[in-house]
Amino acid sequence: MKPGLQFRLNQQLTLTPQLQQAIRLLQLSQLELEAELRQIAESNPLLEFSEDNPEDIDGDDREVVEPLPSSSASTSTSDTVDDADAPDWSDGDGGGEDPIDFSSSGNTSRNGSNVDEDGFEPQSAAPETLQEHLLWQLNLTHMSVRERTIATVLIDALNPDGYLTEGVESLLGALPADLKASAAEVETVRRMLQRFDPTGVASLDLRDCLRVQLEQFDPQLPQRELALRIVDSELELLARNDIARLARKLRASEDDTAAAAVLIRSLDPRPGAALDVTPVEYVAPDVYARKDGGRWRVSLNPDCQPRLGLNQHYCGLIAQARGTDASWMRGQLQEARWLIKSLESRAETLLKVAEAIVRRQSAFLDYGPEAMHPLVLREVAEEVGMHESTISRVTTRKYIHTPRGTFELKHFFSSGVSTEDGGSASATAIQAMLRKLVDAEDARKPLSDQAIAEELHRKGIQVARRTVAKYREAMRIPSSSERQRAG
């Protein structure tokens, strides 16, 4: 066994149950932590939740000093836990966009009153998933048991857009062995599913999806047949919006071709996306950052700190207990004290990391996204004297409220791109510059990825065209040709 691997295994073996619990508490979000603590408190009578608002765990707001050099490390020892009992955090664990502009598709918004006749606001039910919606229809459809089994497997294999990306042949292996279904039988059931609501689910590709939607229109509709011909063989020309050439190839008038193109663009290229609704998540910030007297100050949100304490009644009974009862209660008291100390250490760690991030990214808070500096976990870990894995845990699903909005702490980390003066610019700053260039461009002559890269070069940012394309796609900004058509 390699020495490095043996060392890491030995580290994991020496982690005490208390330290493992402390590490687990550190990586939990606020809601998860609350649920975890309530579960622990139910099994330990020595613990109780206080309904009174606790005092701010860190006292007065902590002032953030001027930014430190990247090579320096913090030597602060203001821990709230005794060194002998505090957890040693340093022992941590080592279908793309469619080429066609379907601008009018997928619009499922409905107008309605927000208040009913009695003046009460309606309560939103849990959103229905695509699979649930299709299974509900399947239960109302006249199918044999054999067909229902195949349909259930197909529905389970759909991606969020409603497509079968695996293909019919590969799905045969997911069927029960005793079913012995053929590819033709699976294809027949798939065709039936395509006509469920939303029409076009269980399609194999975009052409298949659009064709089945067009087939639902009245055959007497003038544009239907021409639209089917375009979908079958000329989607590439439609994507380029070259109506004149499209009309010549199909030997149709430009007016009829344009009308067929409008019909195709009214279809939904992602039929399952309308039901792939992510519930709105409301978060309470764990940390606040505000400017006071020209300096950024950081404080914990007292409302997000667990109100957990010792039950004094049960603590008083320990002296009266005898035998195994006394031993059990003393063990519960020891666990309760360790848990409370772990929570204090968690709060202190969160505050120290937030302070370090605010120090490094004060320019972002002052001037906006274009001033974001490159930052990696290692830099913060060196400054606060912790392991990188600890920084990763403490910045995941932890939020900071700033005058510019509420952000996850991970938002402030990004890689760097070289600049002409030998420095570096963060990916977040480059994306903000890219957005600004696109917003200011001439809609009739939008900037290509190469033109955007050249503009960034003029600003001293050395970035390649393919990098611009990657950032643009990540920001869901259409290509220059698509922006030109939309303009």
Side-chain angles (χ1 to χ4, degrees), residues 135-302:
L135 289 173
W136 171 75
Q137 296 175 73
L138 180 62
N139 290 332
L140 302 177
T141 304
H142 294 291
M143 285 188 181
S144 65
V145 175
R146 184 181 183 86
E147 289 172 333
R148 287 178 186 275
T149 302
I150 296 173
T152 302
V153 172
L154 294 180
I155 290 173
D156 186 59
L158 297 177
N159 71 6
D161 288 335
Y163 284 87
L164 281 172
T165 56
E166 299 179 20
V168 174
E169 293 291 341
S170 62
L171 289 171
L172 289 173
L175 294 171
D178 57 349
L179 197 63
K180 297 181 181 178
S182 65
E185 193 174 4
V186 174
E187 176 65 14
T188 299
V189 176
R190 185 185 74 82
R191 294 282 185 184
M192 297 170 68
L193 287 178
Q194 281 187 294
R195 284 156 178 80
F196 277 28
D197 176 60
T199 306
V201 295
S203 294
L204 301 177
D205 53 33
L206 177 61
R207 181 174 283 104
D208 186 28
C209 179
L210 299 181
R211 166 165 270 281
V212 74
Q213 292 182 57
L214 286 172
E215 289 173 349
Q216 301 301 302
F217 285 100
D218 187 344
Q220 303 302 319
L221 187 68
Q223 302 88 355
R224 180 178 180 270
E225 291 304 317
L226 187 56
L228 284 169
R229 290 171 60 192
I230 294 174
V231 166
D232 285 340
S233 59
E234 303 298 342
L235 275 181
E236 291 76 12
L237 279 179
L238 179 62
R240 294 199 291 267
N241 204 30
D242 193 345
I243 301 298
R245 186 177 176 188
L246 195 57
R248 288 194 301 270
K249 290 197 68 172
L250 296 173
R251 296 182 180 180
S253 68
E254 290 193 18
D255 290 343
D256 290 344
T257 305
V262 170
L263 177 61
I264 295 172
R265 290 195 174 98
S266 70
L267 306 177
D268 192 347
R270 298 180 176 89
L275 286 164
D276 184 33
V277 180
T278 302
V280 177
E281 181 181 1
Y282 297 93
V283 298
D286 300 86
V287 186
Y288 287 106
R290 68 175 185 269
K291 203 164 191 179
D292 185 14
R295 292 178 180 271
W296 286 101
R297 299 166 68 88
V298 178
S299 62
L300 293 172
N301 180 0

Side-chain angles (χ1 to χ4, degrees), residues 81-133:
V81 188
D82 296 337
D83 292 340
D85 295 329
D88 182 5
W89 299 115
S90 62
D91 282 340
D93 306 328
E97 296 186 3
D98 301 305
I100 305 171
D101 177 21
F102 294 89
S103 57
S104 62
S105 67
N107 184 4
T108 59
S109 63
R110 301 174 181 174
N111 295 328
S113 173
N114 291 328
V115 181
D116 62 18
E117 296 177 356
D118 297 325
F120 294 100
E121 292 186 3
Q123 299 298 313
S124 298
E128 185 180 38
T129 66
L130 174 63
Q131 277 73 18
E132 290 171 345
H133 185 59

Side-chain angles (χ1 to χ4, degrees), residues 12 37 80 111 165 176 184 220 226 259 274 316 351 355 385 388 484:
Q12 294 175 4
L37 294 181
T80 60
N111 295 328
T165 56
Q220 303 302 319
L226 187 56
L351 184 62
E355 288 175 340
E388 289 182 40
Q484 185 177 34

Side-chain angles (χ1 to χ4, degrees), residues 361 364 369 372 395 407-414 428:
Q361 300 294 7
F364 165 80
M372 183 82 83
T395 54
F407 304 94
E408 188 179 13
L409 289 177
K410 278 189 177 297
H411 173 77
F412 297 92
F413 294 88
S414 65
T428 303

Side-chain angles (χ1 to χ4, degrees), residues 57-88:
I57 196 167
D58 60 325
D60 296 334
D61 291 346
R62 300 265 291 266
E63 182 175 326
V64 179
V65 299
E66 294 300 322
L68 300 174
S70 59
S71 61
S72 64
S74 172
T75 57
S76 172
T77 58
S78 58
D79 293 331
T80 60
V81 188
D82 296 337
D83 292 340
D85 295 329
D88 182 5

Side-chain angles (χ1 to χ4, degrees), residues 324-381:
T324 57
D325 289 342
S327 176
W328 180 82
M329 293 188 71
R330 281 194 294 269
Q332 295 295 302
L333 177 61
Q334 181 67 22
E335 290 183 9
R337 285 174 173 169
W338 176 264
L339 178 62
I340 292 173
K341 288 181 179 181
S342 296
L343 291 174
E344 293 172 353
S345 184
R346 177 186 186 273
E348 182 71 14
T349 301
L350 177 59
L351 184 62
K352 288 166 67 175
V353 171
E355 288 175 340
I357 291 175
V358 170
R359 273 195 290 267
R360 299 277 182 161
Q361 300 294 7
S362 59
F364 165 80
L365 299 176
D366 286 327
Y367 306 109
E370 292 185 36
M372 183 82 83
H373 292 302
L375 185 64
V376 294
L377 295 174
R378 174 181 51 78
E379 294 174 314
V380 174

